[in-house]
Amino acid sequence: ADIERLCVHESVENVVPTEAFVEAFDDLDVPAELVGDGEGYAESDAVVSFRPRPEFLDAGWVHCARAGYDEFDTDAYEAAGVPLTNSSGIHGETVGELAVNYMLSFARLLHVYRDHQHDADWYDPDYERPFTVGGERLCVVGLGTLGRGIAERADALGMEVVGVRRSDESVPGVSRIYDPEDLHEAIADARFVAIAVPHTPATEGMFGAPEFRRMRDDAYLLNVARGPIVNEDALVDALDAGDIAGAGLDVFETEPLPEDSPLWDFEEVIISPHKGSATNRYHLDIADLVSENVGRYLAGEDLRNRVA
Ligand code: NDP
Ligand code: 7N6
């Protein structure tokens, strides 16, 4: 099949500078152009987009600029016979580093010192409070690109890493893999629990009151995947009740996180505004993936990361 246009939908502005992103396709034989809503598509068009649009189903191939394609209707793509690909595979380092950031901060209280810095306060915490992450147990729920990126880095810090996934294939740095049915056993002894699964019917609400009760009361929850995997009201209750010690959160049920959310006010909650993947070369990482697939598409080969 041929591609006459690589259409970059303007919704990619949510994550990358559009101009630099379009320019990243300069070396391709296929012309890339920025398109907005109201554009019509033909089978000779390939589309890269952050958000779904019904008219994309008229194109020849659609690429979701995110790893999480939960907003895209995969059934509709299958029914229309239009391949859909996603951006999994490029976030191990970026999101892995964010997760390590949360853990080191909770352990060594950087977030607390920063809060006190605003008042020029030379703060002296309880002697018992700071700890090192080395030797602490981390449970990574979901061992794909994100989960492996987190596990590898935690292992390098001397942490004891276990994980949860449906298949039992071994993962470097992960000493034991639990089935999702044994989630409670997997999280019970962990000082940190990191969520790195996609948002699906099976993972929605995977973390609620029973899981927070099961976790150690000095444990921290990290969610770098999708908001709805955690029941946010139950999380607030668990933090209030001291069922867990704190949370590092990049994703939320509603984004942007509403101003009146109680989550803003906990000292032991670190909030990043869905920036797990945000770096100055994110546009290049996504463009590399898309360019590889343009080559495959033109050569009639299977597309990488095909999800429908
Ligand atoms: P992958 O597909 O590479 O990995 C997903 C992992 O989850 C696999 O190991 C899979 O293993 C496991 N999994 C799937 N379903 C279940 C389940 N029901 N129970 C337990 N494990 C399960 O995806 P990525 O790592 O690339 O991304 C994961 C998610 O993270 C994305 O879907 C997206 O929502 C989010 N994300 C967030 C970012 C951010 O900016 N904060 C950036 C990138 C991604 P198995 O099949 O063996 O179960
Ligand atoms: C969005 C970052 C993904 O799924 O959510 C991430 O790849 C993208 C701000």
Side-chain angles (χ1 to χ4, degrees), residues 100-138:
V100 164
N101 243 298
Y102 291 143
M103 290 192 286
L104 289 174
S105 197
F106 286 129
R108 304 305 299 274
L109 306 181
L110 268 191
H111 59 302
V112 176
Y113 301 138
R114 184 71 195 203
D115 286 348
H116 286 270
Q117 185 176 333
H118 295 301
D119 305 321
D121 179 19
W122 186 260
Y123 181 69
D124 195 17
D126 263 3
Y127 181 77
E128 295 301 326
R129 201 170 157 196
F131 60 99
T132 58
V133 298
E136 295 288 347
R137 186 176 173 106
L138 163 69

Side-chain angles (χ1 to χ4, degrees), residues 57-71:
L57 291 169
D58 297 329
W61 154 47
V62 178
H63 180 85
C64 168
R66 320 176 71 175
Y69 53 97
D70 37 323
E71 288 181 9

Side-chain angles (χ1 to χ4, degrees), residues 14 73 99 109 112 119 129 135 143 150 174 182 193 270 299:
N14 280 287
D73 180 352
L109 306 181
V112 176
D119 305 321
R129 201 170 157 196
L143 291 165
I150 298 167
V174 180
D182 302 322
V193 174
I270 302 178

Side-chain angles (χ1 to χ4, degrees), residues 67-70 88-89 91 95 141-147 164-167 180 196-200 202-203 206 224-226 250-251 274-277:
Y69 53 97
D70 37 323
S88 187
H91 306 97
V95 179
V141 183
L143 291 165
T145 301
L146 261 58
V164 178
R165 71 179 305 174
R166 292 165 305 181
S167 53
V197 283
H199 174 209
T200 66
T203 63
M206 196 177 191
V224 291
R226 282 291 183 268
D250 193 48
V251 290
H274 206 144
K275 293 296 174 201
S277 57

Side-chain angles (χ1 to χ4, degrees), residues 80-252:
V82 177
L84 176 70
T85 50
N86 78 343
S87 296
S88 187
I90 60 175
H91 306 97
E93 183 170 2
T94 53
V95 179
E97 287 187 359
L98 179 69
V100 164
N101 243 298
Y102 291 143
M103 290 192 286
L104 289 174
S105 197
F106 286 129
R108 304 305 299 274
L109 306 181
L110 268 191
H111 59 302
V112 176
Y113 301 138
R114 184 71 195 203
D115 286 348
H116 286 270
Q117 185 176 333
H118 295 301
D119 305 321
D121 179 19
W122 186 260
Y123 181 69
D124 195 17
D126 263 3
Y127 181 77
E128 295 301 326
R129 201 170 157 196
F131 60 99
T132 58
V133 298
E136 295 288 347
R137 186 176 173 106
L138 163 69
C139 176
V140 185
V141 183
L143 291 165
T145 301
L146 261 58
R148 286 164 184 254
I150 298 167
E152 220 172 78
R153 284 163 181 77
D155 179 52
L157 288 169
M159 300 181 72
E160 189 204 338
V161 186
V162 299
V164 178
R165 71 179 305 174
R166 292 165 305 181
S167 53
D168 58 3
E169 188 197 328
S170 73
V171 174
V174 180
S175 61
R176 178 163 175 198
I177 294 182
Y178 294 83
D179 187 85
E181 276 188 13
D182 302 322
L183 178 69
H184 284 197
E185 193 190 338
I187 62 178
D189 297 328
R191 191 73 192 268
F192 298 96
V193 174
I195 302 175
V197 283
H199 174 209
T200 66
T203 63
E204 185 161 319
M206 196 177 191
F207 281 81
E211 287 68 38
F212 300 135
R213 276 196 298 270
R214 196 61 194 251
M215 283 166 65
R216 285 165 54 165
D217 56 13
D218 63 354
Y220 295 85
L221 180 78
L222 316 178
N223 188 5
V224 291
R226 282 291 183 268
I229 299 165
V230 172
N231 178 331
E232 225 164 81
D233 288 339
L235 174 61
V236 169
D237 289 346
L239 290 162
D240 270 331
D243 286 341
I244 64 171
L249 305 171
D250 193 48
V251 290
F252 304 89

Side-chain angles (χ1 to χ4, degrees), residues 6 24-32 287 290-292 294-295 298:
L6 179 62
F25 297 109
D26 275 355
D27 290 344
L28 286 183
D29 293 333
V30 173
V290 175
S291 298
E292 180 187 337
V294 167
L298 296 176

